[in-house]
């Protein structure tokens, strides 16, 4: 996801917390990535796959990106979230109790 889109989502999150006087755990995509980078998740293995464009390619002067292979690297998001939720650094930062919000 592009950094600008991550920042937009985080801005929306901040806006939703404003009425409660709460602060988000991440201020922008850079802060989010810094937190992820310092976490102890070395036992979550890196995985990769190759991807390429599979649509119609113009016969004359096709763009380079249509003819290239791209190497995508990632860690299993479910395992990463599991590690985040199990990280004692976040114990006082998350309220995991369910609640119901009613309007009159």
């Amino acid at each position: 996801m592009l950094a600008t889109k991550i920042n937009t989502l985080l801005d929306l999150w901040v806006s939703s917390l404003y009425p409660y006087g709460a602060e988000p755990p991440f201020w922008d995509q850079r802060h989010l990535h810094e937190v992820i980078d310092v976490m102890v998740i070395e036992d979550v293995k890196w995985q990769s796959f190759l991807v390429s464009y599979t649509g119609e390619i113009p016969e004359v002067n096709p763009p380079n990106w249509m003819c290239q292979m791209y190497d995508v690297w990632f860690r299993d998001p479910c395992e990463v979230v599991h590690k985040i939720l199990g990280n004692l650094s976040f114990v006082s930062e998350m309220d995991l109790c369910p609640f119901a919000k009613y309007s009159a």
Side-chain angles (χ1 to χ4, degrees):
M1 183 180 287
L2 293 174
T4 54
K5 291 187 178 190
I6 293 173
N7 285 337
T8 299
L9 289 173
L10 291 172
D11 287 344
L12 291 170
W13 191 2
V14 169
S15 298
S16 72
L17 297 173
Y18 180 76
Y20 308 102
E23 293 186 5
F26 318 108
W27 288 105
D28 59 18
Q29 63 83 25
R30 183 169 303 189
H31 183 225
L32 169 69
H33 287 114
E34 286 172 359
V35 170
I36 291 170
D37 288 344
V38 299
M39 289 181 53
V40 180
I41 56 173
E42 67 270 358
D43 56 335
V44 179
K45 303 293 184 222
W46 282 102
Q47 302 175 53
S48 69
F49 61 90
L50 293 174
V51 64
S52 64
Y53 179 71
T54 59
E56 248 182 74
I57 298 177
E59 290 183 27
V60 179
N61 296 328
N64 287 339
W65 64 265
M66 287 186 169
C67 304
Q68 294 178 347
M69 298 286 290
Y70 297 92
D71 201 10
V72 178
W73 285 86
F74 68 99
R75 286 182 167 158
D76 183 323
C78 291
E79 289 185 46
V80 171
V81 169
H82 182 78
K83 290 291 183 183
I84 290 171
L85 294 176
N87 186 329
L88 294 178
S89 300
F90 293 110
V91 166
S92 63
E93 302 293 326
M94 289 189 247
D95 182 1
L96 302 177
C97 295
F99 71 96
K101 181 177 176 181
Y102 301 98
S103 60

